[in-house]
Amino acid sequence: MKCISNFIILALVSVTTVFCAPTKVASIISDRLTYNLYNNGKASLVKAPYGSLTEITIPGSVSFNGKRYLVNEIVANAFLDKEVNKITIDSSNTGIRINENAFYGIRNLKEFNINSKYVEPEIGAFYNAGNNIYFKGSGIPSAVNRYSEKLLNKWDLPVGKNYKYVDDWDRMKEIFTLAKRIQETYNIYDKVADANSTTAAIFIGAGSSVGLSRVFRTIALVMGIPENEFLTGYDNIHVSWNYVKVDINKGKKWYVFDIQDKIGKNTLWNLSAFKEETKLVATLKKFYGSGYTINPNDFVILNRRYVYQNESSNGLKESENFNDWLKRTNGGERTLSN
């Protein structure tokens, strides 16, 4: 009797799955883009045309036989070996998933506009899409945050955790693990068109030390670290790092975490990754040589979080002297030796 019951349950699950799966009803070309249409009223963008295109727009919907289908997906390899200079996801789109490898092998893509706040890029959506892309549009913050959440889930790290009651040692271990995962996933590479942009770095997979430090901060904030306890620092010359406010036996102070310091493959935890700022100054002096004067009182905080055109400043300067920031926010104490 038990076997019969199990069989009935499995049969019902199978029938439900069959009935729930959308059925393709047509394939159409609209504004040069090929879409598969489904009986649930949704449309998948499956192919771009060959030839050199200056610009295409991915709309909120397409129409066929008097019915409107919502464009909710860009499939893998939809732009393989296609040449497009500019792509825009229209603000009318109410929910679109960009699948892994959606833009794999696209040629000469220079600009990608996300004008809808309902865009959900999967990890690897822009893999092998080139290094010359500038990302723009009001939908970028939500797209980057969703992407960050997917990365954190993949890395088995928390999303939106309340760190108010978390011991600083546990917090540091999770920050350390996050840094290790970022190093495993991303590359420091200055020859990216928008190398200092959080958005370009997180989607393309490479950026400058500024770009990767911003990625580190952005994902840490999505993880739940308070934004005034994890900052992006910059020497006003070339090199960037992160300031992390933690208590290492001396009360909460600002320690330096440099995403460029390579973490060993088998290293699960290393307290020395959280350095006193004095050590950073010594490293920078060695890096630049005698031709530069390294004065930590000239270090700045980079306030922009996503770094895209027309990003809201929230009344803040793009960069701010760290000492001034500490004074303005009553932010605490640096780890500089007198």
Side-chain angles (χ1 to χ4, degrees):
M1 191 69 181
K2 183 177 180 181
C3 292
I4 293 173
S5 299
N6 289 341
F7 175 79
I8 292 172
I9 291 171
L10 287 171
L12 288 171
V13 170
S14 299
V15 170
T16 302
T17 302
V18 170
F19 278 109
C20 287
T23 302
K24 178 181 171 182
V25 296
S27 181
I28 66 167
I29 296 177
S30 177
D31 289 334
R32 299 171 294 181
L33 300 174
T34 302
Y35 298 90
N36 286 342
L37 310 181
Y38 296 90
N39 63 347
N40 62 355
K42 302 298 175 61
S44 295
L45 195 167
V46 296
K47 189 168 63 174
Y50 286 101
S52 180
L53 301 177
T54 301
E55 180 178 359
I56 63 169
T57 297
I58 300 169
S61 64
V62 292
S63 296
F64 178 68
N65 285 347
K67 182 176 179 179
R68 189 166 68 102
Y69 294 81
L70 300 178
V71 179
N72 76 328
E73 180 184 35
I74 305 173
V75 306
N77 299 314
F79 288 82
L80 180 63
D81 293 330
K82 311 303 192 303
E83 184 172 343
V84 186
N85 301 140
K86 178 181 177 181
I87 296 175
T88 298
I89 297 181
D90 193 71
S91 60
S92 63
N93 193 288
T94 56
I96 184 168
R97 181 177 68 251
I98 305 176
N99 285 340
E100 181 182 3
N101 292 326
F103 298 101
Y104 183 93
I106 192 172
R107 299 197 303 270
N108 210 29
L109 182 59
K110 305 292 186 184
E111 183 177 326
F112 196 97
N113 293 289
I114 301 177
N115 292 337
S116 166
K117 63 180 180 180
Y118 304 107
V119 177
E120 185 174 339
E122 295 292 338
I123 296 173
F126 294 92
Y127 177 69
N128 199 30
N131 296 329
N132 297 316
I133 310 170
Y134 286 87
F135 289 89
K136 303 178 181 180
S138 59
I140 280 177
S142 56
V144 169
N145 288 346
R146 289 189 181 99
Y147 199 86
S148 299
E149 289 176 5
K150 290 178 185 294
L151 288 171
L152 290 168
N153 288 330
K154 178 182 178 181
W155 297 335
D156 197 27
L157 285 166
V159 173
K161 184 173 181 176
N162 184 354
Y163 281 93
K164 184 176 180 180
Y165 303 107
V166 176
D167 180 87
D168 271 23
W169 287 91
D170 291 333
R171 177 191 296 209
M172 285 189 289
K173 288 177 181 178
E174 290 184 341
I175 290 172
F176 181 87
T177 301
L178 174 60
K180 184 177 180 180
R181 297 293 175 256
I182 288 174
Q183 287 188 1
E184 292 168 350
T185 306
Y186 291 92
N187 296 310
I188 299 287
Y189 186 62
D190 287 335
K191 294 182 180 179
V192 173
D194 205 6
N196 292 341
S197 165
T198 311
T199 306
I202 201 169
F203 287 154
I204 291 174
S208 65
S209 70
V210 175
L212 266 293
S213 295
R214 281 170 158 158
V215 167
F216 191 13
R217 179 175 189 253
T218 294
I219 301 178
L221 267 52
V222 173
M223 194 164 74
I225 302 295
E227 64 178 351
N228 279 358
E229 295 185 3
F230 199 108
L231 307 173
T232 302
Y234 182 54
D235 64 5
N236 256 330
I237 305 172
H238 178 71
V239 177
S240 189
W241 58 88
N242 293 97
Y243 285 113
V244 184
K245 190 177 183 182
V246 288
D247 183 354
I248 305 180
N249 298 323
K250 301 176 183 178
K252 277 188 177 289
K253 293 183 180 180
W254 288 99
Y255 290 83
V256 168
F257 200 118
D258 188 351
I259 196 65
Q260 295 186 87
D261 285 349
K262 199 65 180 174
I263 298 171
K265 182 178 180 180
N266 298 317
T267 303
L268 299 178
W269 161 241
N270 187 353
L271 177 61
S272 65
F274 297 83
K275 300 177 180 178
E276 292 191 358
E277 199 171 357
T278 304
K279 293 183 178 179
L280 171 68
V281 173
T283 299
L284 291 174
K285 286 181 177 179
K286 183 177 180 180
F287 174 75
Y288 286 116
S290 59
Y292 289 87
T293 299
I294 305 301
N295 183 352
N297 291 316
D298 293 333
F299 292 169
V300 299
I301 298 302
L302 301 177
N303 286 316
R304 292 177 68 188
R305 182 167 172 182
Y306 303 100
V307 193
Y308 63 95
Q309 188 174 338
N310 298 324
E311 178 180 5
S312 173
S313 66
N314 293 318
L316 298 173
K317 299 177 182 178
E318 182 166 344
S319 65
E320 183 176 1
N321 180 274
F322 191 23
N323 288 332
D324 292 344
W325 184 92
L326 291 171
K327 184 177 180 180
R328 177 175 63 82
T329 63
N330 193 25
E333 184 180 347
R334 299 171 74 171
T335 50
L336 284 169
S337 300
N338 294 327

